[in-house]
């Protein structure tokens, strides 16, 4: 048996946002369902060196250099910016990106560029990310850009080389998963809590082969920052991408951005045709009631191992036998006891950063909790981009973090993946705004609890996992 | 790329859920140029445990795992590590999408079976049987008397069977690509990025 591709909607039938994006970029479709897609925007970073090496080996040119953009983020130092990079290997990674982009005439937001930042923050911030586009990057959290109503997904090095060479990519049409969230969110609850709740419900592989469309009143009420956090985490339930239909919030965010279209109104007229048609079919659908979403944290080693902060840790003995071994291994690795209250888990360090939760709104949410308080554990705050850093400093948020005892550093992937040397020590436990609690993700032997920026701030001031809501009482 | 047709090889049981790409290759090794080979860093932090299954079956060419193998990052280095080590087939109930695509682009077969079938194969391997026969033409896995069907995207199957590289196929459509680019630039003139960007 082979896996049948999902059916194409018949001509004239109502179509989903996903199908509209897929159809409008299909150059040819083969009998087996594979389509050759045109790629509108391509981002590369230091980790794209394998793809450039492939081009060099075959002496191949980049076919459309003006559609690829380079961003230095994965390896960049967050301290001592402006000084030479001490670690030779890291310096080589940053220099290699500079050489490769220069050689192929690709615009680079490099280490010293005032627009530098994490690729998934920089693209939208610069207006390079737009509704109706196909966007790819050799990084799985490319799903972030779907917040604008784009078909955006992460690819591997072979595919990066293919896009550089042809500006196209072979893809199978994804299945369509509609996730509806309706109702008002409680105080102190944000997009990260929605996303982790969805992942816990679907499972870390529940979305494999699917594109998620997020809809409902809770989603349309989210800011672009919130929508980006939500779409960013789509990959953590295995979905290829996530997206939100573009609306007035989207257009208002984009108007006037440096790379936004000059003919903005004509573009908006096009973008208004993107939302799913009434009556279109999704392959699957789930719905959530926003009033039931609580602040949520992960306790294990996959993002699906997440529970509301008021809960206690599960007991493997009470779990079904298939899940027991996995649960026991996760508790062992995390050095936690079955039945322990989540709020009894003491932490050693906090990290606020990453493409998931380091945009201006995230920093404001953390600062609202930290203001006038001290963190009882060390930690660092790395803004999503150098422009976010600048804006935060204009708003005085840097003072809040510094006065709370946290380190305010430059922008990059930093402790999300630790490639630049920002790591947890073996055995250290962090409350982190990042996206992956995998074993060793933040350094060998590291233990990561994922949560929202407000919840990380709450953990910082109490020294253990904490419900942020009482800490917000009486604060705007 | 070498075609994948049939593999008759030693298999290693990895009865773990969600073997993510950070386990397959920790991020700190990704500066390595491919020419240095990735085999030494495969499962680097897991292999420090002498009881890690691959340490007991170092000659394995097939892995059998639980669901969500290769979840996580898009790093193709995870596939380089497997392939450079000699593993050209992973059997599991589900795979990370990007990992599976990367696998096919490097001639590694991601063979999808049901949870129950993965359990049966793991049980056979736990009994001490070492060899599996994976046949892509018939989409079957045989372990002694046990026969299991596996699934794979039809396009990926064709690609693996023939050892095709996407670029050759794409080049055969270059006229269509050029025509699309021209028509699209006319239909959506707004999408061409302003080359300098404006001040913000
Ligand atoms: S912050 Fe983390 S998830 Fe985001 S691009 Fe960087 S490494 Fe990837």
């Amino acid at each position: 048996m082979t896996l049948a591709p999902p059916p194409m909607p018949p001509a004239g039938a109502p179509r989903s946002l996903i199908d509209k994006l897929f159809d409008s970029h299909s150059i040819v479709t083969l009998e087996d369902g594979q389509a050759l897609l045109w790629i509108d925007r391509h981002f590369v970073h230091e980790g794209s060196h394998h793809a450039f090496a492939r081009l060099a080996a075959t002496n191949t040119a980049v076919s459309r250099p003006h559609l690829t953009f380079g961003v230095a983020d994965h390896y960049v130092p967050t301290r001592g910016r402006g000084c030479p990079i001490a670690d030779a290997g890291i310096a080589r990674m940053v220099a290699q990106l500079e050489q490769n982009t220069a050689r192929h005439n690709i615009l680079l937001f490099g280490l010293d560029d005032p627009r530098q930042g994490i690729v998934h923050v920089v693209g939208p911030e610069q207006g390079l990310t737009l509704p109706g586009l196909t966007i790819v990057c050799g990084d799985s959290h490319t799903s972030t850009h779907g917040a604008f109503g784009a078909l955006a997904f992460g690819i591997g090095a072979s595919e990066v080389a293919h896009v550089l060479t042809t500006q196209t990519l072979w893809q199978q049409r994804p299945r369509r998963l509609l996730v509806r969230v309706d109702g008002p969110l409680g105080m102190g609850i944000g997009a990260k809590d929605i996303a982790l709740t969805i992942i816990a419900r679907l499972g870390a592989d529940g979305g494999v082969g699917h594109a998620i469309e997020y809809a409902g009143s809770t989603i349309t009420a989210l800011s672009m920052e919130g929508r980006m956090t939500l779409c960013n985490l789509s990959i953590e339930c295995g979905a290829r991408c996530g997206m939100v239909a573009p609306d007035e919030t989207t257009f208002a965010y984009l108007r006037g951005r440096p790379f936004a279209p000059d003919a903005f109104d004509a573009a908006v007229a096009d973008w208004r045709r993107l939302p799913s048609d009434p009556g279109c079919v999704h392959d699957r659908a789930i719905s959530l009631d926003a009033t039931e979403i609580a602040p949520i944290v992960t306790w294990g080693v996959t993002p699906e191992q997440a529970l509301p902060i008021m809960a206690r840790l599960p007991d493997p003995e009470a779990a079904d036998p298939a899940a027991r071994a996995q649960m026991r291994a996760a508790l062992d690795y995390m050095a936690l006891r079955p039945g322990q209250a989540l709020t009894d888990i003491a932490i050693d360090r906090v990290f606020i950063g990453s493409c998931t939760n380091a945009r201006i709104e995230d920093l404001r949410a953390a600062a609202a909790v930290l203001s006038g308080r001290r963190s009882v554990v060390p930690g660092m705050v790395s803004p999503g981009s150098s422009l976010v850093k600048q804006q935060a400093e204009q708003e005085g948020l840097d003072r809040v973090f510094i006065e709370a005892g946290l380190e305010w550093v430059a922008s990059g992937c930093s402790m999300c993946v630790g490639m630049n040397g920002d790591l947890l020590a073996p055995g250290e436990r962090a409350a982190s705004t990042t996206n992956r609690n995998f074993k060793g993700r933040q350094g060998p032997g590291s233990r990561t609890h994922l949560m929202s920026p407000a919840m990380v701030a709450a953990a910082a001031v109490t020294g253990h996992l904490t419900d942020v809501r009482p800490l917000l009482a009486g604060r705007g | 790329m070498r075609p994948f047709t049939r593999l008759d090889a030693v298999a290693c049981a990895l009865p773990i859920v969600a073997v993510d790409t950070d386990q397959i290759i920790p991020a700190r090794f990704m500066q390595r140029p491919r020419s240095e080979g990735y085999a030494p860093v495969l499962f680097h932090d897991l292999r420090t445990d002498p009881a890690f299954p691959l340490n007991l079956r170092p000659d394995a060419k097939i892995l059998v795992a639980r669901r969500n193998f290769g979840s996580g990052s898009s790093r193709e280095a995870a596939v380089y590590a497997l392939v450079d080590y000699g593993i050209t087939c992973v059997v599991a109930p589900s795979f990370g999408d990007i990992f599976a695509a990367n696998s096919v682009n490097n001639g590694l077969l991601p063979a999808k079976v049901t949870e129950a079938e993965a359990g049966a194969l793991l049980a056979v391997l736990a009994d001490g049987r070492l060899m599996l026969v994976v046949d892509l033409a018939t989409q079957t896995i045989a372990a002694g008397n046990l026969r299991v069907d596996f699934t794979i995207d039809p396009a990926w199957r064709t690609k693996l069977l023939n050892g095709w590289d996407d670029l050759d196929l794409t080049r055969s459509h270059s006229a269509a690509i050029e025509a699309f680019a021209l028509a699209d630039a006319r239909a959506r003139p707004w999408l061409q990025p302003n080359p300098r960007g404006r001040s913000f």
Side-chain angles (χ1 to χ4, degrees):
Chain A
M1 200 195 92
T2 47
L3 298 169
M8 239 160 76
R15 286 184 306 160
S16 68
L17 168 62
I18 298 159
D19 287 299
K20 290 183 192 186
L21 290 167
F22 200 87
D23 292 342
S24 62
H25 291 83
S26 298
I27 301 167
V28 286
T29 303
L30 304 182
E31 251 172 55
D32 57 22
Q34 272 214 111
L36 185 62
L37 293 186
W38 177 258
I39 302 301
D40 293 313
R41 299 283 187 275
H42 180 208
F43 295 105
V44 293
H45 55 81
E46 303 96 301
S48 310
H49 64 98
H50 288 295
F52 283 109
R54 192 87 57 95
L55 262 65
T58 50
N59 204 13
T60 305
V62 173
S63 85
R64 269 132 176 128
H66 68 293
L67 298 181
T68 293
F69 299 85
V71 184
D73 59 1
H74 278 65
Y75 286 88
V76 299
T78 45
R79 303 179 180 96
R81 279 284 176 85
C83 307
I85 301 174
D87 182 301
I90 290 173
R92 187 169 50 86
M93 293 302 288
V94 175
Q96 213 169 32
L97 176 68
E98 286 166 4
Q99 290 150 10
N100 282 324
T101 49
R103 177 175 313 142
H104 292 283
N105 209 11
I106 291 166
L107 179 63
L108 172 67
F109 302 103
L111 189 55
D112 300 319
D113 193 302
R115 302 165 294 181
Q116 177 273 340
I118 305 172
V119 57
H120 310 310
V121 179
V122 171
E125 189 171 74
Q126 289 299 315
L128 285 163
T129 300
L130 299 171
L133 303 189
T134 46
I135 302 174
V136 297
C137 171
D139 183 281
S140 57
H141 292 95
T142 307
S143 57
T144 311
H145 308 257
F148 290 79
L151 183 65
F153 52 94
I155 57 177
S158 298
E159 293 172 310
V160 170
H162 190 276
V163 175
L164 288 171
T165 309
T166 66
Q167 203 57 37
T168 65
L169 202 60
W170 290 99
Q171 282 291 301
Q172 198 68 257
R173 182 183 299 266
R175 281 156 212 282
R176 313 135 188 114
L177 170 54
L178 178 67
V179 175
R180 276 198 71 97
V181 190
D182 284 290
L185 283 173
M187 182 195 56
I189 295 165
K192 182 68 154 284
D193 302 300
I194 305 177
L196 287 176
T197 304
I198 293 168
I199 296 161
R201 167 129 164 226
L202 282 174
D205 59 350
V208 167
H210 290 76
I212 299 179
E213 179 179 351
Y214 298 98
S217 65
T218 317
I219 307 301
T220 48
L222 287 176
S223 65
M224 289 317 295
E225 282 83 356
R227 295 178 192 185
M228 282 189 256
T229 299
L230 188 61
C231 290
N232 172 283
L233 289 163
S234 304
I235 182 78
E236 303 310 331
C237 65
R240 197 167 299 176
C241 55
M243 57 187 77
V244 176
D247 60 11
E248 298 309 321
T249 305
T250 321
F251 309 148
Y253 176 96
L254 287 170
R255 193 180 287 276
R257 298 266 161 191
F259 288 85
D262 289 325
F264 196 78
D265 294 330
V268 169
D270 259 9
W271 297 340
R272 286 192 199 284
R273 289 193 280 267
L274 286 168
S276 291
D277 298 329
C280 73
V281 181
H282 289 84
D283 299 270
R284 278 169 74 195
I286 64 163
S287 53
L288 273 78
D289 177 349
T291 60
E292 287 172 10
I293 297 175
I296 181 168
V297 298
T298 64
W299 56 267
V301 294
T302 108
E304 75 186 20
Q305 290 170 326
L307 285 169
I309 185 68
M310 309 79 82
R312 288 181 175 275
L313 287 169
D315 182 357
E317 297 315 314
D320 86 89
R324 197 170 292 160
Q326 186 197 6
M327 196 178 279
R328 200 175 286 135
L331 289 170
D332 278 354
Y333 181 83
M334 295 298 287
L336 298 170
R337 295 185 316 273
Q340 194 177 352
L342 283 170
T343 48
D344 284 343
I345 299 173
I347 53 153
D348 303 308
R349 194 171 284 277
V350 295
F351 177 66
I352 298 173
S354 90
C355 60
T356 305
N357 273 134
R359 283 169 281 268
I360 191 69
E361 205 173 79
D362 301 313
L363 301 186
R364 286 182 194 140
V369 178
L370 286 166
S371 172
R373 294 185 171 126
R374 293 275 310 170
S375 174
V376 299
V377 294
M380 64 196 270
V381 185
S382 175
S385 72
S386 301
L387 289 175
V388 168
K389 181 166 189 277
Q390 201 182 54
Q391 187 178 347
E393 287 168 0
Q394 279 163 9
E395 296 182 15
L397 304 180
D398 59 324
R399 300 304 321 159
V400 174
F401 294 123
I402 292 165
E403 279 159 22
L406 300 178
E407 205 183 343
W408 176 249
V409 299
S411 176
C413 294
S414 182
M415 212 179 265
C416 175
V417 68
M419 286 172 169
N420 73 338
D422 293 345
L423 291 169
L424 294 175
E428 257 193 326
R429 183 186 303 282
S432 179
T433 67
T434 53
N435 42 60
R436 290 194 172 132
N437 51 346
F438 296 167
K439 287 181 191 168
R441 168 83 175 181
Q442 296 189 295
S446 60
R447 300 183 176 120
T448 304
H449 295 274
L450 304 175
M451 64 199 78
S452 73
M455 285 288 285
V456 168
V461 300
T462 58
H464 54 85
L465 305 189
T466 307
D467 191 335
V468 68
R469 290 172 292 188
L471 291 170
L472 284 169
R475 300 192 169 204
Chain B
M1 217 167 64
R2 236 181 346 169
F4 187 114
T5 46
R6 202 183 122 103
L7 181 63
D8 190 337
V10 173
C12 172
L14 210 55
I16 307 173
V17 177
V19 177
D20 57 66
T21 51
D22 281 80
Q23 307 306 304
I24 302 172
I25 175 176
R28 61 187 185 279
F29 299 117
M30 285 168 51
Q31 297 177 14
R32 243 175 138 83
R34 181 69 195 275
S35 52
E36 280 178 21
Y38 272 67
V41 294
L42 174 68
F43 293 122
H44 185 278
D45 295 351
L46 296 172
R47 270 160 80 188
T48 55
D49 174 2
F52 182 64
L54 198 60
N55 289 334
L56 308 174
R57 296 262 183 280
D59 52 343
K61 291 191 172 354
I62 302 167
L63 291 181
V64 182
R66 292 285 187 185
R67 71 180 175 87
N68 212 11
F69 189 93
S71 53
S73 128
S74 64
R75 60 186 75 162
E76 197 159 304
V79 178
Y80 300 160
L82 288 163
V83 170
D84 288 359
Y85 184 91
I87 290 167
T88 49
C89 174
V90 180
V91 182
S94 64
F95 294 92
D97 271 336
I98 311 176
F99 172 85
N102 291 342
S103 296
V104 173
N105 281 330
N106 288 277
L108 185 154
L109 167 66
K112 199 173 157 205
V113 297
T114 64
E115 292 263 10
E117 288 163 343
L121 286 168
L122 287 167
V124 166
L125 293 174
D127 281 349
R129 177 174 287 280
L130 292 178
M131 306 295 287
L132 292 187
V133 184
V134 179
D135 191 327
L136 182 53
T138 56
Q139 291 186 228
T140 54
I141 302 166
N145 293 330
L146 179 69
R147 236 179 88 105
V148 163
D149 292 335
F150 68 86
T151 57
I152 182 167
D153 178 292
W156 285 355
R157 177 173 177 269
T158 312
K159 211 163 115 172
L160 282 167
L161 279 173
N162 295 288
W164 280 340
D165 181 336
D166 276 348
L167 272 174
D168 298 331
L169 179 62
T170 310
R171 288 207 176 94
S172 72
H173 294 285
S174 50
I177 296 172
E178 290 310 315
F180 181 95
L182 269 176
D184 198 40
R186 268 198 298 270
R188 300 187 299 161
W190 51 264
L191 68 70
Q192 295 299 324
N194 174 341
R196 294 164 315 281
R198 287 182 302 256
S199 60
F200 181 39

